[in-house]
Amino acid sequence: MTFKYIPPSQLAPLLVLPERPRLLIVDDQPINIQTLYRIFQSDHEIFMATDGQQALSLCWNGVPPDLILLDIVMPGLDGLTVCRQLKTNPLTSDIPVIFVTAQTDPNDETRALEAGGVDFITKPVNPAVVRARVKTHLTLKFQNDLLRVLAFIDGLTGLANRRRFDETLQLEWRRCRRNDSPLALLMIDIDHFKLYNDRYGHQAGDSCLQAVAATLKAAFGRAQDLVARYGGEEFVCLLPECDHAAAKPKADALVQAVAALGLPHESSPTAATLTISLGIAVIIPNVSRSPEDLVMAADAALYQAKQQGRNQVCSAPLS
Ligand SMILES: Nc1nc2c(ncn2[C@@H]2O[C@H](COP(=O)(O)OP(=O)(O)OP(=O)(O)O)[C@@H](O)[C@H]2O)c(=O)[nH]1
């Protein structure tokens, strides 16, 4: 199963259902727009368009609506074409489209559903029916959004999960390659975490992972930075447009910030409190390298940090 990429900045708002869902009403007859407006105005934010082109530019150039009520027969772009175009653009492909039309031929209904519509209502509309159907499709839409968000989140720490990291790495790799800009990867591993679990119990281990995750998240505030749980007690920070000179002090600060949490780790041969080791790899992506090379280099640097005594940062050469 593949998931549409959602930029980090768009993840959080999806977790909150909007109080007034945004409805776009598209109809070339103002009287029909008015009828629907009256039905929904009290608890929806309403946008209107009187032709297909206007509807598309509202969706693509503004904040996309949560649902669209779309007439079929309009001068210029008809509703079926508008719907097909919305479905081909990742920005708008998930917006449910309900066709509201005077056509009653079953073939029209079939064509509307084949064009990507989720429902088909005939005019004159029955207010109770159109309300109920809009409510159903909005609920489904928000549940889908939420599922998509949850599919990218690590349940224990609330950080991005491995799937999201893998997808973002591919995307940022291509973006940095186009811009000829550096991409830094920090790979982080908690030191002697097995001994921590053995000494304090698995639940305390979980709390410790949450504390480390919160420290990482607090340290990387830029919208384009991604902090993710890579697996077990390993985390990664992907920092686009960040060269080694910028990444190294961030990594050092991170090691210090975790040590400063002062979480007792009496079984650790390294220190009396919990520590992390960190590997850095930085590259200007190019055709002769792959994202996997960056991960392997950061992992090798992490291994070196462990070998050299843990609680420290090592960097891997990569050209
Ligand atoms: N509490 C808890 N423990 C986890 C979780 N995921 C992985 N672990 C534990 O993390 C430990 C990792 O141990 P190792 O890979 O041996 O590494 P380490 O003990 O940290 O040793 P070094 O990495 O060499 O410093 C294992 O004991 C796992 O059971 C989790 O979600 N919660």
Side-chain angles (χ1 to χ4, degrees):
M1 194 173 192
T2 57
F3 292 87
K4 192 177 78 170
Y5 174 75
I6 304 173
S9 56
Q10 284 180 21
L11 280 176
L14 287 178
L15 295 170
V16 183
L17 298 189
E19 259 179 46
R20 289 170 63 83
R22 300 161 56 88
L23 285 194
L24 172 61
I25 303 172
V26 190
D27 200 303
D28 60 322
Q29 300 294 324
I31 181 81
N32 293 334
I33 293 186
Q34 266 174 31
T35 304
L36 291 167
Y37 179 83
R38 275 195 224 103
I39 296 172
F40 291 105
Q41 61 165 331
S42 58
D43 42 12
H44 294 76
E45 204 178 333
I46 313 275
F47 300 83
M48 300 164 226
T50 49
D51 64 60
Q53 198 53 56
Q54 201 185 357
L56 288 177
S57 42
L58 263 172
C59 291
W60 289 339
N61 303 326
V63 179
D66 297 308
L67 186 143
I68 302 172
L69 292 165
L70 183 58
D71 187 17
I72 293 186
V73 181
M74 295 184 287
L77 284 186
D78 65 66
L80 298 178
T81 310
V82 172
C83 186
R84 281 190 209 102
Q85 295 206 12
L86 289 168
K87 297 295 155 190
T88 56
N89 186 326
L91 257 185
T92 49
S93 58
D94 293 333
I95 303 174
V97 173
I98 298 180
F99 285 103
V100 184
T101 177
Q103 320 278 98
T104 49
D105 181 344
N107 290 332
D108 288 320
E109 186 165 355
T110 308
R111 273 194 288 276
L113 298 175
E114 282 172 357
V118 291
D119 212 341
F120 184 92
I121 300 173
T122 49
K123 297 177 201 166
V125 296
N126 173 331
V129 169
V130 73
R131 262 184 171 280
R133 293 200 185 180
V134 164
K135 191 171 168 211
T136 300
H137 290 296
L138 279 174
T139 305
L140 285 172
K141 153 98 169 34
F142 294 134
Q143 284 172 348
N144 278 342
D145 287 348
L146 192 59
L147 280 179
R148 228 186 337 261
V149 169
L150 293 178
F152 282 114
I153 287 181
D154 171 57
L156 179 68
T157 62
L159 292 182
N161 62 15
R162 172 71 176 271
R163 175 188 292 133
R164 179 154 174 76
F165 168 73
D166 288 342
E167 289 201 0
T168 309
L169 175 61
Q170 300 292 331
L171 259 144
E172 292 296 355
W173 178 274
R174 289 198 291 272
R175 202 166 64 82
C176 288
R177 202 172 95 182
R178 277 197 305 276
N179 301 343
D180 206 23
S181 52
L183 181 61
L185 178 63
L186 313 189
M187 190 160 275
I188 298 139
D189 188 284
I190 300 177
D191 294 327
H192 304 297
F193 195 55
K194 182 176 181 325
L195 294 176
Y196 190 94
N197 272 331
D198 292 349
R199 170 74 176 78
Y200 301 101
H202 204 83
Q203 277 192 330
D206 284 355
S207 304
C208 167
L209 288 169
Q210 288 167 335
V212 171
T215 308
L216 296 181
K217 207 163 170 68
F220 295 97
R222 295 188 316 165
Q224 68 266 43
D225 294 344
L226 180 79
V227 179
R229 186 173 178 200
Y230 193 68
E233 85 297 16
E234 266 192 285
F235 300 90
V236 279
C237 305
L238 186 67
L239 313 174
E241 272 130 47
C242 182
D243 60 13
H244 186 265
K248 178 71 165 64
K250 284 177 199 269
D252 288 333
L254 208 54
V255 169
Q256 280 160 23
V258 170
L261 289 175
L263 295 171
H265 190 349
E266 289 166 12
S267 308
S268 169
T270 301
T273 54
L274 190 92
T275 58
I276 56 171
S277 296
L278 199 155
I280 307 178
V282 182
I283 193 170
I284 297 178
N286 58 70
V287 278
S288 57
R289 293 288 196 177
S290 71
E292 291 67 38
D293 291 335
L294 183 66
V295 174
M296 274 165 55
D299 201 33
L302 171 61
Y303 181 75
Q304 196 190 345
K306 292 273 181 187
Q307 292 300 105
Q308 289 181 3
R310 298 180 173 79
N311 191 23
Q312 60 186 276
V313 176
C314 279
S315 302
L318 231 175
S319 54

